[in-house]
Amino acid sequence: MVLAEFNLATTLYKMDNKYEAQKHLYTMVDLMPNNKRIIIPYTLLGKIELERGNTEKALEHYKRSYDLGSSEYGKKHKYTTRARMGLGKTLSKLGKWEEAIKLIEEQLDIDVNNATNKANELEISFASYFVEKLGEAKEISSDISKQASEILKEKLGYDHEETLKSINAFTDTLLDENNWKEAELVLSNVHDQLHQQFNKLDIGSKIQYKKIEDKLIEALFATGDSENAEKLLLQVERERFIEELNSLKAE
């Protein structure tokens, strides 16, 4: 009966009949609320509620799925991972950034220790979603933004696109707070670390790095270091001109 209910619910969900899908999922969780077989139905209920804009209800279902998955299968299991990602997304939507950061760090830690030292596609999409929301949220503090960028830097590497996105989000919050000096220090550090590696970066990382360069020039001018700002501006213009010429030659 349970399997039949779940199969029917997933079919209805795929047909975009979310209301009927929910009815069958709730029947399942009411019948056996603490059974490990209910982990996936709870996750799907969370997904449906999130899609319908019911974030508090989604949070409740994802939390239940995550807790059950952790206790029944452990933190590393794929069922727990799916629940964790849904829970992290829901927390981000609710602006509960510190809780979401902890889940991202937990997932990236599991992946690094359990696999190949590189986060897999699921974890990258989780991190990417979080960074995107981080960039959209103007109410967050630079402390939270910094914490997120430090975690991604440690787990994904300095040159990863998502790390550079998070550094851009962090420095944006610093600029919103008129903290130009700290922004300059952060941006200068990235520039020093990655300038010589630019040609080895992937396309996404190159785009983010160029944003960092442009912001660094702006920060140098803002803090009164016009000499270094003008030097960097000339250097950047020359390098981008050469890059464009090489691109045209390759066509």
PDB file of all heavy atoms in Angstrom, residues 99-129:
ATOM      1  N   GLU A  99      22.155  29.197   9.794  1.00  0.00           N
ATOM      2  CA  GLU A  99      21.770  27.785   9.791  1.00  0.00           C
ATOM      3  C   GLU A  99      22.054  27.152   8.433  1.00  0.00           C
ATOM      4  O   GLU A  99      22.499  26.004   8.343  1.00  0.00           O
ATOM      5  CB  GLU A  99      20.285  27.653  10.133  1.00  0.00           C
ATOM      6  CG  GLU A  99      19.938  28.049  11.560  1.00  0.00           C
ATOM      7  CD  GLU A  99      18.449  27.977  11.821  1.00  0.00           C
ATOM      8  OE1 GLU A  99      17.884  26.869  11.744  1.00  0.00           O
ATOM      9  OE2 GLU A  99      17.841  29.032  12.080  1.00  0.00           O
ATOM     10  N   ALA A 100      21.777  27.904   7.357  1.00  0.00           N
ATOM     11  CA  ALA A 100      22.031  27.385   6.009  1.00  0.00           C
ATOM     12  C   ALA A 100      23.528  27.165   5.783  1.00  0.00           C
ATOM     13  O   ALA A 100      23.931  26.174   5.176  1.00  0.00           O
ATOM     14  CB  ALA A 100      21.482  28.361   4.965  1.00  0.00           C
ATOM     15  N   ILE A 101      24.343  28.080   6.272  1.00  0.00           N
ATOM     16  CA  ILE A 101      25.799  27.959   6.139  1.00  0.00           C
ATOM     17  C   ILE A 101      26.297  26.672   6.795  1.00  0.00           C
ATOM     18  O   ILE A 101      27.135  25.957   6.249  1.00  0.00           O
ATOM     19  CB  ILE A 101      26.506  29.180   6.759  1.00  0.00           C
ATOM     20  CG1 ILE A 101      26.362  30.397   5.837  1.00  0.00           C
ATOM     21  CG2 ILE A 101      27.996  28.892   6.991  1.00  0.00           C
ATOM     22  CD1 ILE A 101      26.862  31.690   6.454  1.00  0.00           C
ATOM     23  N   LYS A 102      25.756  26.348   7.959  1.00  0.00           N
ATOM     24  CA  LYS A 102      26.178  25.136   8.668  1.00  0.00           C
ATOM     25  C   LYS A 102      25.880  23.883   7.844  1.00  0.00           C
ATOM     26  O   LYS A 102      26.678  22.944   7.815  1.00  0.00           O
ATOM     27  CB  LYS A 102      25.470  25.045  10.022  1.00  0.00           C
ATOM     28  CG  LYS A 102      25.983  26.046  11.052  1.00  0.00           C
ATOM     29  CD  LYS A 102      25.194  25.966  12.339  1.00  0.00           C
ATOM     30  CE  LYS A 102      25.653  27.022  13.325  1.00  0.00           C
ATOM     31  NZ  LYS A 102      24.818  27.035  14.560  1.00  0.00           N
ATOM     32  N   LEU A 103      24.734  23.879   7.174  1.00  0.00           N
ATOM     33  CA  LEU A 103      24.377  22.720   6.348  1.00  0.00           C
ATOM     34  C   LEU A 103      25.280  22.600   5.128  1.00  0.00           C
ATOM     35  O   LEU A 103      25.666  21.498   4.728  1.00  0.00           O
ATOM     36  CB  LEU A 103      22.919  22.831   5.905  1.00  0.00           C
ATOM     37  CG  LEU A 103      21.864  22.613   6.990  1.00  0.00           C
ATOM     38  CD1 LEU A 103      20.477  22.881   6.438  1.00  0.00           C
ATOM     39  CD2 LEU A 103      21.944  21.205   7.558  1.00  0.00           C
ATOM     40  N   ILE A 104      25.611  23.736   4.517  1.00  0.00           N
ATOM     41  CA  ILE A 104      26.518  23.719   3.363  1.00  0.00           C
ATOM     42  C   ILE A 104      27.892  23.206   3.784  1.00  0.00           C
ATOM     43  O   ILE A 104      28.490  22.373   3.109  1.00  0.00           O
ATOM     44  CB  ILE A 104      26.635  25.131   2.751  1.00  0.00           C
ATOM     45  CG1 ILE A 104      25.331  25.479   2.045  1.00  0.00           C
ATOM     46  CG2 ILE A 104      27.795  25.207   1.757  1.00  0.00           C
ATOM     47  CD1 ILE A 104      25.261  26.891   1.569  1.00  0.00           C
ATOM     48  N   GLU A 105      28.376  23.690   4.910  1.00  0.00           N
ATOM     49  CA  GLU A 105      29.682  23.239   5.399  1.00  0.00           C
ATOM     50  C   GLU A 105      29.652  21.744   5.695  1.00  0.00           C
ATOM     51  O   GLU A 105      30.583  21.008   5.346  1.00  0.00           O
ATOM     52  CB  GLU A 105      30.064  24.013   6.659  1.00  0.00           C
ATOM     53  CG  GLU A 105      31.440  23.669   7.164  1.00  0.00           C
ATOM     54  CD  GLU A 105      31.889  24.561   8.303  1.00  0.00           C
ATOM     55  OE1 GLU A 105      31.036  25.136   8.999  1.00  0.00           O
ATOM     56  OE2 GLU A 105      33.105  24.674   8.495  1.00  0.00           O
ATOM     57  N   GLU A 106      28.565  21.276   6.310  1.00  0.00           N
ATOM     58  CA  GLU A 106      28.439  19.846   6.614  1.00  0.00           C
ATOM     59  C   GLU A 106      28.469  19.021   5.334  1.00  0.00           C
ATOM     60  O   GLU A 106      29.176  18.017   5.249  1.00  0.00           O
ATOM     61  CB  GLU A 106      27.123  19.599   7.351  1.00  0.00           C
ATOM     62  CG  GLU A 106      26.841  18.146   7.657  1.00  0.00           C
ATOM     63  CD  GLU A 106      25.528  17.966   8.383  1.00  0.00           C
ATOM     64  OE1 GLU A 106      25.503  18.062   9.622  1.00  0.00           O
ATOM     65  OE2 GLU A 106      24.499  17.728   7.709  1.00  0.00           O
ATOM     66  N   GLN A 107      27.728  19.447   4.301  1.00  0.00           N
ATOM     67  CA  GLN A 107      27.671  18.685   3.059  1.00  0.00           C
ATOM     68  C   GLN A 107      29.023  18.662   2.354  1.00  0.00           C
ATOM     69  O   GLN A 107      29.465  17.636   1.855  1.00  0.00           O
ATOM     70  CB  GLN A 107      26.606  19.261   2.122  1.00  0.00           C
ATOM     71  CG  GLN A 107      26.382  18.417   0.884  1.00  0.00           C
ATOM     72  CD  GLN A 107      25.956  16.994   1.222  1.00  0.00           C
ATOM     73  OE1 GLN A 107      25.022  16.789   1.990  1.00  0.00           O
ATOM     74  NE2 GLN A 107      26.640  16.006   0.664  1.00  0.00           N
ATOM     75  N   LEU A 108      29.679  19.815   2.292  1.00  0.00           N
ATOM     76  CA  LEU A 108      30.977  19.873   1.624  1.00  0.00           C
ATOM     77  C   LEU A 108      32.025  19.082   2.392  1.00  0.00           C
ATOM     78  O   LEU A 108      32.891  18.450   1.800  1.00  0.00           O
ATOM     79  CB  LEU A 108      31.420  21.330   1.448  1.00  0.00           C
ATOM     80  CG  LEU A 108      30.563  22.151   0.478  1.00  0.00           C
ATOM     81  CD1 LEU A 108      30.980  23.612   0.502  1.00  0.00           C
ATOM     82  CD2 LEU A 108      30.642  21.606  -0.933  1.00  0.00           C
ATOM     83  N   ASP A 109      31.936  19.084   3.714  1.00  0.00           N
ATOM     84  CA  ASP A 109      32.848  18.274   4.533  1.00  0.00           C
ATOM     85  C   ASP A 109      32.666  16.794   4.227  1.00  0.00           C
ATOM     86  O   ASP A 109      33.631  16.052   4.069  1.00  0.00           O
ATOM     87  CB  ASP A 109      32.569  18.506   6.023  1.00  0.00           C
ATOM     88  CG  ASP A 109      33.402  19.633   6.592  1.00  0.00           C
ATOM     89  OD1 ASP A 109      34.452  19.946   6.016  1.00  0.00           O
ATOM     90  OD2 ASP A 109      32.991  20.204   7.610  1.00  0.00           O
ATOM     91  N   ILE A 110      31.417  16.362   4.148  1.00  0.00           N
ATOM     92  CA  ILE A 110      31.127  14.954   3.866  1.00  0.00           C
ATOM     93  C   ILE A 110      31.689  14.570   2.516  1.00  0.00           C
ATOM     94  O   ILE A 110      32.324  13.542   2.350  1.00  0.00           O
ATOM     95  CB  ILE A 110      29.603  14.704   3.909  1.00  0.00           C
ATOM     96  CG1 ILE A 110      29.122  14.728   5.355  1.00  0.00           C
ATOM     97  CG2 ILE A 110      29.256  13.362   3.256  1.00  0.00           C
ATOM     98  CD1 ILE A 110      27.615  14.735   5.500  1.00  0.00           C
ATOM     99  N   ASP A 111      31.473  15.414   1.518  1.00  0.00           N
ATOM    100  CA  ASP A 111      31.939  15.091   0.170  1.00  0.00           C
ATOM    101  C   ASP A 111      33.461  15.013   0.103  1.00  0.00           C
ATOM    102  O   ASP A 111      34.020  14.107  -0.474  1.00  0.00           O
ATOM    103  CB  ASP A 111      31.440  16.139  -0.829  1.00  0.00           C
ATOM    104  CG  ASP A 111      31.784  15.735  -2.256  1.00  0.00           C
ATOM    105  OD1 ASP A 111      31.094  14.884  -2.800  1.00  0.00           O
ATOM    106  OD2 ASP A 111      32.789  16.236  -2.768  1.00  0.00           O
ATOM    107  N   VAL A 112      34.127  15.987   0.710  1.00  0.00           N
ATOM    108  CA  VAL A 112      35.593  16.018   0.669  1.00  0.00           C
ATOM    109  C   VAL A 112      36.177  14.800   1.378  1.00  0.00           C
ATOM    110  O   VAL A 112      37.114  14.177   0.897  1.00  0.00           O
ATOM    111  CB  VAL A 112      36.123  17.320   1.316  1.00  0.00           C
ATOM    112  CG1 VAL A 112      37.619  17.215   1.580  1.00  0.00           C
ATOM    113  CG2 VAL A 112      35.840  18.506   0.401  1.00  0.00           C
ATOM    114  N   ASN A 113      35.599  14.426   2.514  1.00  0.00           N
ATOM    115  CA  ASN A 113      36.135  13.302   3.274  1.00  0.00           C
ATOM    116  C   ASN A 113      35.717  11.950   2.701  1.00  0.00           C
ATOM    117  O   ASN A 113      36.375  10.946   2.917  1.00  0.00           O
ATOM    118  CB  ASN A 113      35.650  13.392   4.730  1.00  0.00           C
ATOM    119  CG  ASN A 113      36.236  14.591   5.442  1.00  0.00           C
ATOM    120  OD1 ASN A 113      37.348  14.996   5.151  1.00  0.00           O
ATOM    121  ND2 ASN A 113      35.481  15.177   6.360  1.00  0.00           N
ATOM    122  N   ASN A 114      34.625  11.941   1.956  1.00  0.00           N
ATOM    123  CA  ASN A 114      34.047  10.680   1.510  1.00  0.00           C
ATOM    124  C   ASN A 114      34.402  10.328   0.072  1.00  0.00           C
ATOM    125  O   ASN A 114      34.256   9.205  -0.346  1.00  0.00           O
ATOM    126  CB  ASN A 114      32.521  10.762   1.641  1.00  0.00           C
ATOM    127  CG  ASN A 114      31.868   9.399   1.606  1.00  0.00           C
ATOM    128  OD1 ASN A 114      32.394   8.460   2.173  1.00  0.00           O
ATOM    129  ND2 ASN A 114      30.734   9.297   0.937  1.00  0.00           N
ATOM    130  N   ALA A 115      34.859  11.305  -0.697  1.00  0.00           N
ATOM    131  CA  ALA A 115      35.078  11.031  -2.113  1.00  0.00           C
ATOM    132  C   ALA A 115      36.451  11.478  -2.564  1.00  0.00           C
ATOM    133  O   ALA A 115      37.449  10.919  -2.154  1.00  0.00           O
ATOM    134  CB  ALA A 115      33.981  11.706  -2.935  1.00  0.00           C
ATOM    135  N   THR A 116      36.523  12.507  -3.372  1.00  0.00           N
ATOM    136  CA  THR A 116      37.764  12.783  -4.094  1.00  0.00           C
ATOM    137  C   THR A 116      38.370  14.146  -3.799  1.00  0.00           C
ATOM    138  O   THR A 116      39.057  14.691  -4.596  1.00  0.00           O
ATOM    139  CB  THR A 116      37.503  12.732  -5.601  1.00  0.00           C
ATOM    140  OG1 THR A 116      36.537  13.734  -5.915  1.00  0.00           O
ATOM    141  CG2 THR A 116      37.032  11.387  -6.057  1.00  0.00           C
ATOM    142  N   ASN A 117      38.065  14.770  -2.734  1.00  0.00           N
ATOM    143  CA  ASN A 117      38.636  16.086  -2.451  1.00  0.00           C
ATOM    144  C   ASN A 117      38.039  17.192  -3.307  1.00  0.00           C
ATOM    145  O   ASN A 117      38.444  18.315  -3.220  1.00  0.00           O
ATOM    146  CB  ASN A 117      40.166  16.110  -2.652  1.00  0.00           C
ATOM    147  CG  ASN A 117      40.869  16.507  -1.374  1.00  0.00           C
ATOM    148  OD1 ASN A 117      40.256  16.461  -0.321  1.00  0.00           O
ATOM    149  ND2 ASN A 117      42.110  16.879  -1.472  1.00  0.00           N
ATOM    150  N   LYS A 118      37.105  16.847  -4.166  1.00  0.00           N
ATOM    151  CA  LYS A 118      36.383  17.833  -4.970  1.00  0.00           C
ATOM    152  C   LYS A 118      34.894  17.597  -4.749  1.00  0.00           C
ATOM    153  O   LYS A 118      34.428  16.463  -4.815  1.00  0.00           O
ATOM    154  CB  LYS A 118      36.705  17.689  -6.460  1.00  0.00           C
ATOM    155  CG  LYS A 118      38.091  18.200  -6.840  1.00  0.00           C
ATOM    156  CD  LYS A 118      38.122  19.709  -6.860  1.00  0.00           C
ATOM    157  CE  LYS A 118      39.466  20.215  -7.369  1.00  0.00           C
ATOM    158  NZ  LYS A 118      39.538  21.674  -7.385  1.00  0.00           N
ATOM    159  N   ALA A 119      34.153  18.657  -4.497  1.00  0.00           N
ATOM    160  CA  ALA A 119      32.719  18.500  -4.288  1.00  0.00           C
ATOM    161  C   ALA A 119      32.048  18.058  -5.583  1.00  0.00           C
ATOM    162  O   ALA A 119      32.411  18.500  -6.647  1.00  0.00           O
ATOM    163  CB  ALA A 119      32.115  19.820  -3.814  1.00  0.00           C
ATOM    164  N   ASN A 120      31.070  17.151  -5.474  1.00  0.00           N
ATOM    165  CA  ASN A 120      30.420  16.665  -6.683  1.00  0.00           C
ATOM    166  C   ASN A 120      29.325  17.625  -7.146  1.00  0.00           C
ATOM    167  O   ASN A 120      29.081  18.661  -6.537  1.00  0.00           O
ATOM    168  CB  ASN A 120      29.878  15.248  -6.480  1.00  0.00           C
ATOM    169  CG  ASN A 120      28.740  15.198  -5.481  1.00  0.00           C
ATOM    170  OD1 ASN A 120      27.938  16.109  -5.371  1.00  0.00           O
ATOM    171  ND2 ASN A 120      28.670  14.103  -4.736  1.00  0.00           N
ATOM    172  N   GLU A 121      28.666  17.258  -8.221  1.00  0.00           N
ATOM    173  CA  GLU A 121      27.733  18.179  -8.882  1.00  0.00           C
ATOM    174  C   GLU A 121      26.591  18.610  -7.967  1.00  0.00           C
ATOM    175  O   GLU A 121      26.171  19.762  -7.977  1.00  0.00           O
ATOM    176  CB  GLU A 121      27.170  17.512 -10.144  1.00  0.00           C
ATOM    177  CG  GLU A 121      26.366  18.447 -11.014  1.00  0.00           C
ATOM    178  CD  GLU A 121      25.927  17.778 -12.306  1.00  0.00           C
ATOM    179  OE1 GLU A 121      26.600  16.842 -12.755  1.00  0.00           O
ATOM    180  OE2 GLU A 121      24.899  18.212 -12.835  1.00  0.00           O
ATOM    181  N   LEU A 122      26.067  17.677  -7.157  1.00  0.00           N
ATOM    182  CA  LEU A 122      24.971  18.025  -6.259  1.00  0.00           C
ATOM    183  C   LEU A 122      25.389  19.083  -5.246  1.00  0.00           C
ATOM    184  O   LEU A 122      24.679  20.042  -4.994  1.00  0.00           O
ATOM    185  CB  LEU A 122      24.489  16.771  -5.516  1.00  0.00           C
ATOM    186  CG  LEU A 122      23.510  15.871  -6.243  1.00  0.00           C
ATOM    187  CD1 LEU A 122      23.200  14.665  -5.375  1.00  0.00           C
ATOM    188  CD2 LEU A 122      22.228  16.610  -6.577  1.00  0.00           C
ATOM    189  N   GLU A 123      26.582  18.876  -4.669  1.00  0.00           N
ATOM    190  CA  GLU A 123      27.042  19.824  -3.665  1.00  0.00           C
ATOM    191  C   GLU A 123      27.353  21.188  -4.292  1.00  0.00           C
ATOM    192  O   GLU A 123      27.138  22.234  -3.690  1.00  0.00           O
ATOM    193  CB  GLU A 123      28.286  19.281  -2.952  1.00  0.00           C
ATOM    194  CG  GLU A 123      27.988  18.266  -1.864  1.00  0.00           C
ATOM    195  CD  GLU A 123      27.389  16.985  -2.390  1.00  0.00           C
ATOM    196  OE1 GLU A 123      28.068  16.299  -3.157  1.00  0.00           O
ATOM    197  OE2 GLU A 123      26.246  16.679  -2.046  1.00  0.00           O
ATOM    198  N   ILE A 124      27.881  21.184  -5.532  1.00  0.00           N
ATOM    199  CA  ILE A 124      28.153  22.441  -6.219  1.00  0.00           C
ATOM    200  C   ILE A 124      26.850  23.193  -6.466  1.00  0.00           C
ATOM    201  O   ILE A 124      26.770  24.407  -6.282  1.00  0.00           O
ATOM    202  CB  ILE A 124      28.874  22.199  -7.564  1.00  0.00           C
ATOM    203  CG1 ILE A 124      30.260  21.592  -7.325  1.00  0.00           C
ATOM    204  CG2 ILE A 124      29.005  23.497  -8.349  1.00  0.00           C
ATOM    205  CD1 ILE A 124      31.190  22.440  -6.521  1.00  0.00           C
ATOM    206  N   SER A 125      25.799  22.452  -6.879  1.00  0.00           N
ATOM    207  CA  SER A 125      24.525  23.124  -7.146  1.00  0.00           C
ATOM    208  C   SER A 125      23.948  23.692  -5.855  1.00  0.00           C
ATOM    209  O   SER A 125      23.333  24.757  -5.855  1.00  0.00           O
ATOM    210  CB  SER A 125      23.528  22.150  -7.784  1.00  0.00           C
ATOM    211  OG  SER A 125      23.088  21.175  -6.864  1.00  0.00           O
ATOM    212  N   PHE A 126      24.154  22.988  -4.757  1.00  0.00           N
ATOM    213  CA  PHE A 126      23.723  23.463  -3.440  1.00  0.00           C
ATOM    214  C   PHE A 126      24.455  24.761  -3.099  1.00  0.00           C
ATOM    215  O   PHE A 126      23.848  25.774  -2.747  1.00  0.00           O
ATOM    216  CB  PHE A 126      24.033  22.367  -2.412  1.00  0.00           C
ATOM    217  CG  PHE A 126      23.503  22.618  -1.026  1.00  0.00           C
ATOM    218  CD1 PHE A 126      22.624  23.639  -0.755  1.00  0.00           C
ATOM    219  CD2 PHE A 126      23.901  21.791   0.017  1.00  0.00           C
ATOM    220  CE1 PHE A 126      22.136  23.840   0.538  1.00  0.00           C
ATOM    221  CE2 PHE A 126      23.432  21.978   1.302  1.00  0.00           C
ATOM    222  CZ  PHE A 126      22.541  23.010   1.558  1.00  0.00           C
ATOM    223  N   ALA A 127      25.772  24.737  -3.227  1.00  0.00           N
ATOM    224  CA  ALA A 127      26.579  25.926  -2.940  1.00  0.00           C
ATOM    225  C   ALA A 127      26.223  27.076  -3.876  1.00  0.00           C
ATOM    226  O   ALA A 127      26.128  28.233  -3.461  1.00  0.00           O
ATOM    227  CB  ALA A 127      28.069  25.587  -3.061  1.00  0.00           C
ATOM    228  N   SER A 128      26.018  26.750  -5.156  1.00  0.00           N
ATOM    229  CA  SER A 128      25.695  27.770  -6.155  1.00  0.00           C
ATOM    230  C   SER A 128      24.384  28.465  -5.824  1.00  0.00           C
ATOM    231  O   SER A 128      24.273  29.700  -5.893  1.00  0.00           O
ATOM    232  CB  SER A 128      25.617  27.124  -7.538  1.00  0.00           C
ATOM    233  OG  SER A 128      25.310  28.092  -8.514  1.00  0.00           O
ATOM    234  N   TYR A 129      23.380  27.686  -5.458  1.00  0.00           N
ATOM    235  CA  TYR A 129      22.082  28.255  -5.089  1.00  0.00           C
ATOM    236  C   TYR A 129      22.247  29.201  -3.907  1.00  0.00           C
ATOM    237  O   TYR A 129      21.714  30.307  -3.896  1.00  0.00           O
ATOM    238  CB  TYR A 129      21.098  27.137  -4.730  1.00  0.00           C
ATOM    239  CG  TYR A 129      19.767  27.650  -4.232  1.00  0.00           C
ATOM    240  CD1 TYR A 129      18.729  27.902  -5.128  1.00  0.00           C
ATOM    241  CD2 TYR A 129      19.562  27.893  -2.884  1.00  0.00           C
ATOM    242  CE1 TYR A 129      17.507  28.383  -4.670  1.00  0.00           C
ATOM    243  CE2 TYR A 129      18.348  28.383  -2.425  1.00  0.00           C
ATOM    244  CZ  TYR A 129      17.330  28.618  -3.313  1.00  0.00           C
ATOM    245  OH  TYR A 129      16.125  29.104  -2.861  1.00  0.00           O
TER     246      TYR A 129
END
